[in-house]
Amino acid sequence: MEAAILPLSSTEIPAPGPDRPADESLLLSRFRESDAAAFEALYRHHNGRIYGYVMRLTGAVESAEELTQEVFVRAWQHRADFQNPSHFRSWLFRVASNLWIGQLRSARRRTTEALEPEEEARLEAPSAAPPALGLELERAIRRLPERIRAVLVLFDVYGFRHAEIAELLDITVSTSKIHLHRARRRLKEVLQ
Amino acid sequence: MNEPHELSARLSEYLDGELDAETARRVDAALRRDPELAAERAALAEVAARTRALPRDLVPQRDLWPSIRERTVAAERREGARRWLAAAALAALLPGLAFLAGRWTATRRGAELPAAELPAAPAPGPTPTSRPASAAGPSAVDGARDSLARASLEVRRALEEHRDNLPSETRALVERNLATIEAAIGEIETALEQSPGDPELERLLVAYRERELGLLERVTRAATRL
C-alpha cells in the first residue's frame, strides 16, 4: 500500500513568519495535498504556541509534550478541512482544549481508584518550569483551578475573545468573564 | 443591591472594555469616589498587564517532530489496512447480496433463476440421482455446510485472540460485515426449513458459509500481521 505522503522537499518551502499570511496560506494549500514538508513548516510555526498553551494548562512537561504531539497528528488526519490560517490556528487550540478536558476527565475517573505511591509522587512533583521570565507569575498561574486558569491563559496570554473562549471550552460567555475575573483576583492575592 | 460589590465583580470587564456605556459610567463614578475600588482596579490592571507580557510561545525540551511524523505514518498505514479490509469485505458481500435479492424477488414472482447465476458451491458428493437431496438423508451438501460452520468457528476463535491488533474502526467494520453475512445465512436457513432439501438454497448456504470463512481467514491473517 503506497503512503499518501509526498517526500520531504524542505528547500522548496519558504520559511513562514507570523506576519506572512500569504506564505501560511500556501503552506496550508500544500498541507491539504499531503505535503510533508509543508506539514513540518506549519508545525514549526505553531508548535511553540500550542505547547505554551498546553504547558500552562497541564503544568507537566510529559502531558504537554503528549498533547502537543496528538494535536498535530490529528491536524494531519484532518488536513483536508483547513481553508485558511485563522481557521487552522483556532482548530489547533480547539483540539488542544478538547484533549486537555478529556485528560482532566480521565484523571478524575482514575483518582477514584487508588494511585500507586510513585504515581502520586509524580503528580505532586514540581514540573519543569517555562523560561525564567515571569517565572513567579507562571507558577501562580499553574496553581489556579483548572477552568479559570484556562480562561485566563486564553484571554490574557493568547488574546482570544470571550466568545471564542466560550466555544473552545464549552462554557457560556458570562462564565468566561466570571472565570477571568476570578483568575485575576487570585493572582493579585498571590503576587502582592 | 450591594453596588460596590457588584461593581468590583465587573472590574475585569471594565478593564477589558467589555461593559456597556451605562455600566462603564457607573464604574467610572465609583472609582472616583471609592479609593479601595480604585486600588483594586489598579492591582487587577497590573496582573492583566503582566500576564499579557508572558511569552506566547514556549519551546518544548525536545524536538517533537520526529515522533509526530512517526505517528502520522503509522496512522496512514492503519488507515490503508482498514480501507483494504473494508474493500475485501464489500467485495465478498456484494455478489451474494445481489444474488439473494434477486432470488427472493424471483421466488415471490414464482420464477426460476438460471443455475449459472448461482454462486459457486462445492459439488455435492455421490447422491442417488432418482431422489432429491433431502430424501437421501444427511447429504454431502449437509456435510460441507457443517464442515464450513465448524471451520468458521475455529477461525473466529483465532481472530478473537488477535482482534485487539486491529484498529477499532476496522474491528467495527468487520463485525458489521460478519453480522450481515450471518443475517443472510439465517434467512437462508429459515427458507430451508420451509423448503427442506431445496438444492438451490443449500448451495447458496454453502456459498455464504464459504464467504464467511474466507472473510474470517483474511481478517485473521491481517490481524496477526499487524
Side-chain angles (χ1 to χ4, degrees), chain A residues 5 36 43-44 48-49 51 56 65-66 69-70 76 79 128 156-158 161 181 184 188, chain B residues 8 12-13 16 18 43 52 55-58 61-65 67-69 71 76 80:
Chain A
I5 305 165
Y43 163 75
R44 299 280 176 212
R49 202 145 298 198
Y51 180 76
R56 287 170 173 123
E65 287 184 352
E66 174 54 33
Q69 291 175 71
E70 187 59 26
W76 173 258
R79 58 193 180 277
D156 278 339
V157 179
Y158 292 102
R161 309 313 302 168
H181 183 64
R184 286 174 176 171
K188 172 182 75 83
Chain B
S8 171
S12 283
E13 292 176 78
D16 300 329
E18 301 266 344
R52 287 171 185 163
R56 290 184 167 183
D57 290 1
L58 296 180
Q61 292 181 343
R62 60 184 180 92
D63 186 1
L64 303 178
W65 173 250
S67 176
I68 290 168
R69 193 80 186 95
R71 285 165 69 162
E76 291 277 323

mmCIF file of all heavy atoms in Angstrom, chain A residues 5 36 43-44 48-49 51 56 65-66 69-70 76 79 128 156-158 161 181 184 188, chain B residues 8 12-13 16 18 43 52 55-58 61-65 67-69 71 76 80:
data_model
loop_
_atom_site.group_PDB
_atom_site.id
_atom_site.type_symbol
_atom_site.label_atom_id
_atom_site.label_comp_id
_atom_site.label_asym_id
_atom_site.label_seq_id
_atom_site.Cartn_x
_atom_site.Cartn_y
_atom_site.Cartn_z
ATOM 1 N N ILE A 5 1.899 10.194 1.522
ATOM 2 C CA ILE A 5 2.717 11.319 1.938
ATOM 3 C C ILE A 5 3.807 11.552 0.910
ATOM 4 O O ILE A 5 4.526 10.640 0.526
ATOM 5 C CB ILE A 5 3.354 11.029 3.313
ATOM 6 C CG1 ILE A 5 2.246 10.673 4.299
ATOM 7 C CG2 ILE A 5 4.164 12.199 3.797
ATOM 8 C CD1 ILE A 5 2.743 10.036 5.558
ATOM 9 N N ALA A 36 4.493 16.673 3.122
ATOM 10 C CA ALA A 36 5.079 16.520 4.457
ATOM 11 C C ALA A 36 5.936 17.722 4.838
ATOM 12 O O ALA A 36 5.990 18.111 6.007
ATOM 13 C CB ALA A 36 5.910 15.238 4.525
ATOM 14 N N TYR A 43 3.991 22.946 11.473
ATOM 15 C CA TYR A 43 4.261 22.512 12.848
ATOM 16 C C TYR A 43 5.267 23.456 13.512
ATOM 17 O O TYR A 43 5.072 23.920 14.632
ATOM 18 C CB TYR A 43 4.789 21.074 12.851
ATOM 19 C CG TYR A 43 5.463 20.725 14.157
ATOM 20 C CD1 TYR A 43 4.700 20.479 15.296
ATOM 21 C CD2 TYR A 43 6.845 20.713 14.271
ATOM 22 C CE1 TYR A 43 5.308 20.207 16.508
ATOM 23 C CE2 TYR A 43 7.455 20.444 15.484
ATOM 24 C CZ TYR A 43 6.682 20.192 16.594
ATOM 25 O OH TYR A 43 7.285 19.935 17.794
ATOM 26 N N ARG A 44 6.356 23.759 12.787
ATOM 27 C CA ARG A 44 7.407 24.619 13.363
ATOM 28 C C ARG A 44 6.846 26.001 13.678
ATOM 29 O O ARG A 44 7.251 26.646 14.643
ATOM 30 C CB ARG A 44 8.586 24.774 12.376
ATOM 31 C CG ARG A 44 9.288 23.466 12.016
ATOM 32 C CD ARG A 44 10.261 23.024 13.056
ATOM 33 N NE ARG A 44 10.835 21.716 12.713
ATOM 34 C CZ ARG A 44 11.209 20.816 13.611
ATOM 35 N NH1 ARG A 44 11.109 21.083 14.905
ATOM 36 N NH2 ARG A 44 11.708 19.643 13.231
ATOM 37 N N GLY A 48 5.217 26.164 19.124
ATOM 38 C CA GLY A 48 5.540 26.896 20.346
ATOM 39 C C GLY A 48 4.288 27.411 21.030
ATOM 40 O O GLY A 48 4.177 27.381 22.259
ATOM 41 N N ARG A 49 3.359 27.869 20.222
ATOM 42 C CA ARG A 49 2.122 28.423 20.770
ATOM 43 C C ARG A 49 1.277 27.321 21.413
ATOM 44 O O ARG A 49 0.768 27.479 22.520
ATOM 45 C CB ARG A 49 1.350 29.096 19.636
ATOM 46 C CG ARG A 49 0.352 30.127 20.091
ATOM 47 C CD ARG A 49 0.285 31.262 19.114
ATOM 48 N NE ARG A 49 1.583 31.937 19.020
ATOM 49 C CZ ARG A 49 1.758 33.142 18.528
ATOM 50 N NH1 ARG A 49 0.714 33.815 18.072
ATOM 51 N NH2 ARG A 49 2.947 33.699 18.455
ATOM 52 N N TYR A 51 2.280 24.314 22.380
ATOM 53 C CA TYR A 51 2.992 23.761 23.526
ATOM 54 C C TYR A 51 2.898 24.714 24.715
ATOM 55 O O TYR A 51 2.685 24.288 25.856
ATOM 56 C CB TYR A 51 4.456 23.493 23.184
ATOM 57 C CG TYR A 51 5.234 22.914 24.346
ATOM 58 C CD1 TYR A 51 5.090 21.576 24.709
ATOM 59 C CD2 TYR A 51 6.099 23.715 25.098
ATOM 60 C CE1 TYR A 51 5.782 21.060 25.797
ATOM 61 C CE2 TYR A 51 6.792 23.197 26.183
ATOM 62 C CZ TYR A 51 6.637 21.867 26.524
ATOM 63 O OH TYR A 51 7.325 21.352 27.595
ATOM 64 N N ARG A 56 0.881 25.420 30.042
ATOM 65 C CA ARG A 56 0.266 26.222 31.104
ATOM 66 C C ARG A 56 -1.010 25.558 31.619
ATOM 67 O O ARG A 56 -1.353 25.704 32.775
ATOM 68 C CB ARG A 56 -0.032 27.631 30.599
ATOM 69 C CG ARG A 56 1.248 28.440 30.445
ATOM 70 C CD ARG A 56 1.019 29.750 29.726
ATOM 71 N NE ARG A 56 2.246 30.539 29.752
ATOM 72 C CZ ARG A 56 2.858 30.992 28.674
ATOM 73 N NH1 ARG A 56 2.359 30.748 27.464
ATOM 74 N NH2 ARG A 56 3.971 31.707 28.776
ATOM 75 N N GLU A 65 3.898 17.611 26.227
ATOM 76 C CA GLU A 65 4.508 17.035 25.022
ATOM 77 C C GLU A 65 3.525 16.084 24.341
ATOM 78 O O GLU A 65 3.367 16.097 23.120
ATOM 79 C CB GLU A 65 5.794 16.289 25.385
ATOM 80 C CG GLU A 65 6.952 17.198 25.738
ATOM 81 C CD GLU A 65 8.247 16.436 26.009
ATOM 82 O OE1 GLU A 65 8.189 15.183 26.075
ATOM 83 O OE2 GLU A 65 9.288 17.076 26.171
ATOM 84 N N GLU A 66 2.868 15.261 25.127
ATOM 85 C CA GLU A 66 1.931 14.300 24.550
ATOM 86 C C GLU A 66 0.755 15.018 23.887
ATOM 87 O O GLU A 66 0.358 14.677 22.762
ATOM 88 C CB GLU A 66 1.431 13.348 25.649
ATOM 89 C CG GLU A 66 0.344 12.381 25.221
ATOM 90 C CD GLU A 66 0.697 11.555 23.994
ATOM 91 O OE1 GLU A 66 1.894 11.223 23.802
ATOM 92 O OE2 GLU A 66 -0.221 11.261 23.196
ATOM 93 N N GLN A 69 1.862 16.669 20.613
ATOM 94 C CA GLN A 69 2.006 15.697 19.531
ATOM 95 C C GLN A 69 0.647 15.276 19.007
ATOM 96 O O GLN A 69 0.416 15.212 17.790
ATOM 97 C CB GLN A 69 2.778 14.475 20.029
ATOM 98 C CG GLN A 69 4.236 14.738 20.321
ATOM 99 C CD GLN A 69 4.906 13.520 20.920
ATOM 100 O OE1 GLN A 69 5.131 12.525 20.248
ATOM 101 N NE2 GLN A 69 5.222 13.598 22.202
ATOM 102 N N GLU A 70 -0.261 14.987 19.897
ATOM 103 C CA GLU A 70 -1.580 14.496 19.488
ATOM 104 C C GLU A 70 -2.327 15.557 18.677
ATOM 105 O O GLU A 70 -3.025 15.236 17.711
ATOM 106 C CB GLU A 70 -2.385 14.090 20.726
ATOM 107 C CG GLU A 70 -3.714 13.410 20.419
ATOM 108 C CD GLU A 70 -3.593 12.137 19.602
ATOM 109 O OE1 GLU A 70 -2.525 11.477 19.666
ATOM 110 O OE2 GLU A 70 -4.547 11.813 18.861
ATOM 111 N N TRP A 76 -2.932 16.490 10.953
ATOM 112 C CA TRP A 76 -2.580 15.768 9.724
ATOM 113 C C TRP A 76 -3.773 14.939 9.242
ATOM 114 O O TRP A 76 -4.079 14.899 8.052
ATOM 115 C CB TRP A 76 -1.366 14.870 9.967
ATOM 116 C CG TRP A 76 -1.051 13.978 8.816
ATOM 117 C CD1 TRP A 76 -1.346 12.652 8.702
ATOM 118 C CD2 TRP A 76 -0.425 14.350 7.590
ATOM 119 N NE1 TRP A 76 -0.927 12.173 7.483
ATOM 120 C CE2 TRP A 76 -0.347 13.200 6.785
ATOM 121 C CE3 TRP A 76 0.089 15.548 7.093
ATOM 122 C CZ2 TRP A 76 0.220 13.211 5.510
ATOM 123 C CZ3 TRP A 76 0.653 15.547 5.819
ATOM 124 C CH2 TRP A 76 0.714 14.397 5.054
ATOM 125 N N ARG A 79 -6.314 17.154 7.520
ATOM 126 C CA ARG A 79 -5.661 18.179 6.698
ATOM 127 C C ARG A 79 -6.550 18.690 5.574
ATOM 128 O O ARG A 79 -6.374 19.815 5.124
ATOM 129 C CB ARG A 79 -4.342 17.645 6.137
ATOM 130 C CG ARG A 79 -4.459 16.395 5.293
ATOM 131 C CD ARG A 79 -3.070 15.792 5.071
ATOM 132 N NE ARG A 79 -3.100 14.577 4.261
ATOM 133 C CZ ARG A 79 -3.371 13.358 4.735
ATOM 134 N NH1 ARG A 79 -3.633 13.196 6.013
ATOM 135 N NH2 ARG A 79 -3.375 12.308 3.936
ATOM 136 N N ALA A 128 9.013 20.823 35.171
ATOM 137 C CA ALA A 128 9.960 21.782 34.606
ATOM 138 C C ALA A 128 9.235 23.092 34.325
ATOM 139 O O ALA A 128 8.164 23.114 33.750
ATOM 140 C CB ALA A 128 10.542 21.217 33.321
ATOM 141 N N ASP A 156 -5.724 36.390 28.321
ATOM 142 C CA ASP A 156 -4.628 37.334 28.526
ATOM 143 C C ASP A 156 -3.354 36.950 27.791
ATOM 144 O O ASP A 156 -2.616 37.819 27.350
ATOM 145 C CB ASP A 156 -4.346 37.497 30.034
ATOM 146 C CG ASP A 156 -5.303 38.495 30.698
ATOM 147 O OD1 ASP A 156 -5.886 39.316 29.960
ATOM 148 O OD2 ASP A 156 -5.467 38.429 31.929
ATOM 149 N N VAL A 157 -3.057 35.667 27.701
ATOM 150 C CA VAL A 157 -1.804 35.281 27.046
ATOM 151 C C VAL A 157 -1.993 35.170 25.530
ATOM 152 O O VAL A 157 -1.172 35.663 24.760
ATOM 153 C CB VAL A 157 -1.271 33.938 27.602
ATOM 154 C CG1 VAL A 157 0.025 33.541 26.893
ATOM 155 C CG2 VAL A 157 -1.038 34.024 29.106
ATOM 156 N N TYR A 158 -3.105 34.531 25.121
ATOM 157 C CA TYR A 158 -3.251 34.246 23.689
ATOM 158 C C TYR A 158 -4.236 35.141 22.964
ATOM 159 O O TYR A 158 -4.432 34.997 21.761
ATOM 160 C CB TYR A 158 -3.597 32.765 23.485
ATOM 161 C CG TYR A 158 -2.417 31.901 23.864
ATOM 162 C CD1 TYR A 158 -2.375 31.232 25.079
ATOM 163 C CD2 TYR A 158 -1.300 31.827 23.024
ATOM 164 C CE1 TYR A 158 -1.262 30.490 25.438
ATOM 165 C CE2 TYR A 158 -0.187 31.084 23.377
ATOM 166 C CZ TYR A 158 -0.178 30.422 24.593
ATOM 167 O OH TYR A 158 0.923 29.689 24.952
ATOM 168 N N ARG A 161 -11.011 36.189 22.425
ATOM 169 C CA ARG A 161 -12.136 36.906 22.992
ATOM 170 C C ARG A 161 -13.035 35.927 23.741
ATOM 171 O O ARG A 161 -12.946 34.705 23.556
ATOM 172 C CB ARG A 161 -12.941 37.626 21.900
ATOM 173 C CG ARG A 161 -12.112 38.490 20.955
ATOM 174 C CD ARG A 161 -11.133 39.388 21.691
ATOM 175 N NE ARG A 161 -11.773 40.288 22.656
ATOM 176 C CZ ARG A 161 -11.100 40.986 23.555
ATOM 177 N NH1 ARG A 161 -9.790 40.896 23.646
ATOM 178 N NH2 ARG A 161 -11.750 41.792 24.390
ATOM 179 N N HIS A 181 -12.215 37.032 35.742
ATOM 180 C CA HIS A 181 -12.123 37.939 36.888
ATOM 181 C C HIS A 181 -11.614 37.190 38.124
ATOM 182 O O HIS A 181 -10.753 37.696 38.848
ATOM 183 C CB HIS A 181 -13.483 38.575 37.155
ATOM 184 C CG HIS A 181 -13.459 39.581 38.262
ATOM 185 N ND1 HIS A 181 -12.732 40.761 38.187
ATOM 186 C CD2 HIS A 181 -14.052 39.577 39.487
ATOM 187 C CE1 HIS A 181 -12.890 41.435 39.307
ATOM 188 N NE2 HIS A 181 -13.676 40.753 40.124
ATOM 189 N N ARG A 184 -7.845 36.569 37.789
ATOM 190 C CA ARG A 184 -7.031 37.764 38.027
ATOM 191 C C ARG A 184 -7.027 38.125 39.501
ATOM 192 O O ARG A 184 -6.004 38.528 40.063
ATOM 193 C CB ARG A 184 -7.577 38.930 37.212
ATOM 194 C CG ARG A 184 -7.269 38.830 35.736
ATOM 195 C CD ARG A 184 -7.953 39.935 34.988
ATOM 196 N NE ARG A 184 -7.622 39.957 33.575
ATOM 197 C CZ ARG A 184 -8.248 40.730 32.704
ATOM 198 N NH1 ARG A 184 -9.225 41.542 33.096
ATOM 199 N NH2 ARG A 184 -7.896 40.700 31.417
ATOM 200 N N LYS A 188 -3.768 38.313 41.872
ATOM 201 C CA LYS A 188 -3.495 39.557 42.615
ATOM 202 C C LYS A 188 -3.165 39.225 44.055
ATOM 203 O O LYS A 188 -2.220 39.769 44.626
ATOM 204 C CB LYS A 188 -4.723 40.468 42.539
ATOM 205 C CG LYS A 188 -4.663 41.689 43.413
ATOM 206 C CD LYS A 188 -5.939 42.505 43.305
ATOM 207 C CE LYS A 188 -7.093 41.879 44.054
ATOM 208 N NZ LYS A 188 -7.097 42.189 45.504
ATOM 209 N N SER B 8 -17.291 45.829 41.815
ATOM 210 C CA SER B 8 -15.992 45.168 41.959
ATOM 211 C C SER B 8 -15.933 43.914 41.081
ATOM 212 O O SER B 8 -14.906 43.632 40.454
ATOM 213 C CB SER B 8 -15.758 44.801 43.432
ATOM 214 O OG SER B 8 -14.617 43.984 43.545
ATOM 215 N N SER B 12 -12.913 43.516 35.889
ATOM 216 C CA SER B 12 -12.161 42.935 34.759
ATOM 217 C C SER B 12 -12.820 43.304 33.437
ATOM 218 O O SER B 12 -12.144 43.625 32.452
ATOM 219 C CB SER B 12 -12.067 41.416 34.903
ATOM 220 O OG SER B 12 -11.096 41.070 35.864
ATOM 221 N N GLU B 13 -14.143 43.253 33.413
ATOM 222 C CA GLU B 13 -14.836 43.628 32.165
ATOM 223 C C GLU B 13 -14.579 45.105 31.859
ATOM 224 O O GLU B 13 -14.422 45.500 30.700
ATOM 225 C CB GLU B 13 -16.341 43.392 32.323
ATOM 226 C CG GLU B 13 -16.737 41.932 32.420
ATOM 227 C CD GLU B 13 -18.223 41.785 32.680
ATOM 228 O OE1 GLU B 13 -19.017 41.937 31.715
ATOM 229 O OE2 GLU B 13 -18.598 41.522 33.838
ATOM 230 N N ASP B 16 -11.214 45.492 30.351
ATOM 231 C CA ASP B 16 -11.121 44.919 29.002
ATOM 232 C C ASP B 16 -12.052 45.616 28.015
ATOM 233 O O ASP B 16 -12.148 45.188 26.859
ATOM 234 C CB ASP B 16 -11.444 43.419 29.049
ATOM 235 C CG ASP B 16 -10.496 42.652 29.947
ATOM 236 O OD1 ASP B 16 -9.321 43.065 30.052
ATOM 237 O OD2 ASP B 16 -10.931 41.646 30.548
ATOM 238 N N GLU B 18 -15.310 45.672 28.068
ATOM 239 C CA GLU B 18 -16.429 44.775 27.754
ATOM 240 C C GLU B 18 -17.758 45.297 28.287
ATOM 241 O O GLU B 18 -18.796 44.683 28.049
ATOM 242 C CB GLU B 18 -16.149 43.393 28.379
ATOM 243 C CG GLU B 18 -14.865 42.735 27.906
ATOM 244 C CD GLU B 18 -15.077 41.797 26.739
ATOM 245 O OE1 GLU B 18 -16.234 41.429 26.487
ATOM 246 O OE2 GLU B 18 -14.103 41.438 26.074
ATOM 247 N N ALA B 43 -4.616 47.084 40.815
ATOM 248 C CA ALA B 43 -3.952 45.797 41.025
ATOM 249 C C ALA B 43 -4.343 44.799 39.939
ATOM 250 O O ALA B 43 -3.502 44.061 39.417
ATOM 251 C CB ALA B 43 -4.302 45.250 42.408
ATOM 252 N N ARG B 52 -0.304 39.406 30.144
ATOM 253 C CA ARG B 52 -0.234 39.628 28.704
ATOM 254 C C ARG B 52 1.198 39.725 28.204
ATOM 255 O O ARG B 52 1.451 39.518 27.018
ATOM 256 C CB ARG B 52 -1.002 40.900 28.332
ATOM 257 C CG ARG B 52 -2.485 40.701 28.421
ATOM 258 C CD ARG B 52 -3.271 41.977 28.283
ATOM 259 N NE ARG B 52 -4.689 41.690 28.493
ATOM 260 C CZ ARG B 52 -5.614 42.603 28.760
ATOM 261 N NH1 ARG B 52 -5.272 43.878 28.834
ATOM 262 N NH2 ARG B 52 -6.862 42.255 28.949
ATOM 263 N N PRO B 55 5.428 35.229 27.418
ATOM 264 C CA PRO B 55 5.649 34.782 26.036
ATOM 265 C C PRO B 55 4.551 33.815 25.601
ATOM 266 O O PRO B 55 4.140 32.942 26.362
ATOM 267 C CB PRO B 55 7.001 34.059 26.116
ATOM 268 C CG PRO B 55 7.158 33.675 27.538
ATOM 269 C CD PRO B 55 6.456 34.720 28.344
ATOM 270 N N ARG B 56 4.070 33.985 24.392
ATOM 271 C CA ARG B 56 3.039 33.087 23.878
ATOM 272 C C ARG B 56 3.635 31.733 23.521
ATOM 273 O O ARG B 56 3.001 30.700 23.678
ATOM 274 C CB ARG B 56 2.377 33.693 22.650
ATOM 275 C CG ARG B 56 1.521 34.888 22.993
ATOM 276 C CD ARG B 56 0.787 35.429 21.798
ATOM 277 N NE ARG B 56 -0.250 36.366 22.206
ATOM 278 C CZ ARG B 56 -1.096 36.955 21.376
ATOM 279 N NH1 ARG B 56 -1.034 36.707 20.089
ATOM 280 N NH2 ARG B 56 -2.011 37.796 21.826
ATOM 281 N N ASP B 57 4.846 31.767 22.996
ATOM 282 C CA ASP B 57 5.482 30.522 22.564
ATOM 283 C C ASP B 57 6.402 30.002 23.653
ATOM 284 O O ASP B 57 7.217 30.752 24.190
ATOM 285 C CB ASP B 57 6.322 30.752 21.302
ATOM 286 C CG ASP B 57 5.456 31.019 20.094
ATOM 287 O OD1 ASP B 57 4.213 31.048 20.257
ATOM 288 O OD2 ASP B 57 5.999 31.186 18.989
ATOM 289 N N LEU B 58 6.257 28.721 23.965
ATOM 290 C CA LEU B 58 7.222 28.039 24.821
ATOM 291 C C LEU B 58 7.846 26.914 23.995
ATOM 292 O O LEU B 58 7.148 26.258 23.218
ATOM 293 C CB LEU B 58 6.548 27.464 26.077
ATOM 294 C CG LEU B 58 5.932 28.477 27.040
ATOM 295 C CD1 LEU B 58 5.292 27.760 28.231
ATOM 296 C CD2 LEU B 58 6.982 29.467 27.533
ATOM 297 N N GLN B 61 11.146 20.846 25.451
ATOM 298 C CA GLN B 61 12.519 20.495 25.827
ATOM 299 C C GLN B 61 13.202 19.628 24.774
ATOM 300 O O GLN B 61 14.422 19.559 24.709
ATOM 301 C CB GLN B 61 12.514 19.767 27.174
ATOM 302 C CG GLN B 61 12.118 20.689 28.313
ATOM 303 C CD GLN B 61 12.134 19.979 29.655
ATOM 304 O OE1 GLN B 61 12.141 18.756 29.720
ATOM 305 N NE2 GLN B 61 12.141 20.736 30.728
ATOM 306 N N ARG B 62 12.409 18.937 23.964
ATOM 307 C CA ARG B 62 12.995 18.137 22.880
ATOM 308 C C ARG B 62 12.178 18.369 21.620
ATOM 309 O O ARG B 62 11.040 18.830 21.686
ATOM 310 C CB ARG B 62 12.994 16.652 23.252
ATOM 311 C CG ARG B 62 11.623 16.073 23.512
ATOM 312 C CD ARG B 62 11.720 14.623 23.957
ATOM 313 N NE ARG B 62 10.391 14.087 24.208
ATOM 314 C CZ ARG B 62 9.642 13.447 23.296
ATOM 315 N NH1 ARG B 62 10.106 13.269 22.068
ATOM 316 N NH2 ARG B 62 8.433 12.994 23.599
ATOM 317 N N ASP B 63 12.759 18.054 20.491
ATOM 318 C CA ASP B 63 12.067 18.216 19.220
ATOM 319 C C ASP B 63 10.999 17.129 19.102
ATOM 320 O O ASP B 63 11.306 15.939 19.074
ATOM 321 C CB ASP B 63 13.071 18.104 18.055
ATOM 322 C CG ASP B 63 12.423 18.424 16.708
ATOM 323 O OD1 ASP B 63 11.212 18.750 16.681
ATOM 324 O OD2 ASP B 63 13.134 18.343 15.691
ATOM 325 N N LEU B 64 9.736 17.559 19.028
ATOM 326 C CA LEU B 64 8.642 16.600 18.981
ATOM 327 C C LEU B 64 8.338 16.137 17.551
ATOM 328 O O LEU B 64 7.545 15.217 17.360
ATOM 329 C CB LEU B 64 7.373 17.223 19.585
ATOM 330 C CG LEU B 64 7.516 17.721 21.027
ATOM 331 C CD1 LEU B 64 6.212 18.364 21.502
ATOM 332 C CD2 LEU B 64 7.893 16.575 21.969
ATOM 333 N N TRP B 65 8.936 16.784 16.574
ATOM 334 C CA TRP B 65 8.585 16.489 15.185
ATOM 335 C C TRP B 65 8.818 15.026 14.791
ATOM 336 O O TRP B 65 7.943 14.416 14.180
ATOM 337 C CB TRP B 65 9.326 17.433 14.228
ATOM 338 C CG TRP B 65 9.115 17.056 12.793
ATOM 339 C CD1 TRP B 65 10.046 16.523 11.937
ATOM 340 C CD2 TRP B 65 7.894 17.107 12.057
ATOM 341 N NE1 TRP B 65 9.471 16.256 10.714
ATOM 342 C CE2 TRP B 65 8.147 16.610 10.761
ATOM 343 C CE3 TRP B 65 6.596 17.523 12.356
ATOM 344 C CZ2 TRP B 65 7.171 16.536 9.783
ATOM 345 C CZ3 TRP B 65 5.628 17.445 11.374
ATOM 346 C CH2 TRP B 65 5.906 16.955 10.117
ATOM 347 N N SER B 67 8.631 12.310 16.432
ATOM 348 C CA SER B 67 7.574 11.463 16.980
ATOM 349 C C SER B 67 6.248 11.717 16.276
ATOM 350 O O SER B 67 5.478 10.789 15.986
ATOM 351 C CB SER B 67 7.448 11.737 18.482
ATOM 352 O OG SER B 67 6.381 11.011 19.019
ATOM 353 N N ILE B 68 5.965 12.983 15.980
ATOM 354 C CA ILE B 68 4.724 13.318 15.276
ATOM 355 C C ILE B 68 4.723 12.666 13.904
ATOM 356 O O ILE B 68 3.732 12.074 13.461
ATOM 357 C CB ILE B 68 4.570 14.848 15.157
ATOM 358 C CG1 ILE B 68 4.295 15.446 16.538
ATOM 359 C CG2 ILE B 68 3.463 15.222 14.182
ATOM 360 C CD1 ILE B 68 4.407 16.948 16.591
ATOM 361 N N ARG B 69 5.848 12.757 13.232
ATOM 362 C CA ARG B 69 5.971 12.185 11.890
ATOM 363 C C ARG B 69 5.750 10.680 11.919
ATOM 364 O O ARG B 69 5.009 10.123 11.099
ATOM 365 C CB ARG B 69 7.369 12.505 11.347
ATOM 366 C CG ARG B 69 7.513 12.243 9.893
ATOM 367 C CD ARG B 69 6.932 13.392 9.097
ATOM 368 N NE ARG B 69 6.967 13.031 7.694
ATOM 369 C CZ ARG B 69 5.928 12.480 7.063
ATOM 370 N NH1 ARG B 69 4.824 12.252 7.699
ATOM 371 N NH2 ARG B 69 6.027 12.173 5.796
ATOM 372 N N ARG B 71 4.110 8.957 14.106
ATOM 373 C CA ARG B 71 2.717 8.631 14.429
ATOM 374 C C ARG B 71 1.810 8.856 13.232
ATOM 375 O O ARG B 71 0.851 8.110 13.018
ATOM 376 C CB ARG B 71 2.262 9.460 15.629
ATOM 377 C CG ARG B 71 2.847 8.951 16.929
ATOM 378 C CD ARG B 71 2.729 9.935 18.059
ATOM 379 N NE ARG B 71 1.377 10.142 18.501
ATOM 380 C CZ ARG B 71 1.045 10.671 19.670
ATOM 381 N NH1 ARG B 71 2.002 11.045 20.495
ATOM 382 N NH2 ARG B 71 -0.205 10.841 20.006
ATOM 383 N N GLU B 76 -1.375 6.425 8.879
ATOM 384 C CA GLU B 76 -1.665 6.239 7.456
ATOM 385 C C GLU B 76 -1.675 4.755 7.110
ATOM 386 O O GLU B 76 -2.522 4.282 6.345
ATOM 387 C CB GLU B 76 -0.611 6.937 6.604
ATOM 388 C CG GLU B 76 -0.664 8.450 6.662
ATOM 389 C CD GLU B 76 -1.690 9.025 5.720
ATOM 390 O OE1 GLU B 76 -1.840 8.477 4.615
ATOM 391 O OE2 GLU B 76 -2.344 10.013 6.086
ATOM 392 N N GLY B 80 -4.776 2.621 5.679
ATOM 393 C CA GLY B 80 -4.683 1.849 4.448
ATOM 394 C C GLY B 80 -5.143 0.422 4.663
ATOM 395 O O GLY B 80 -5.882 -0.139 3.844
#
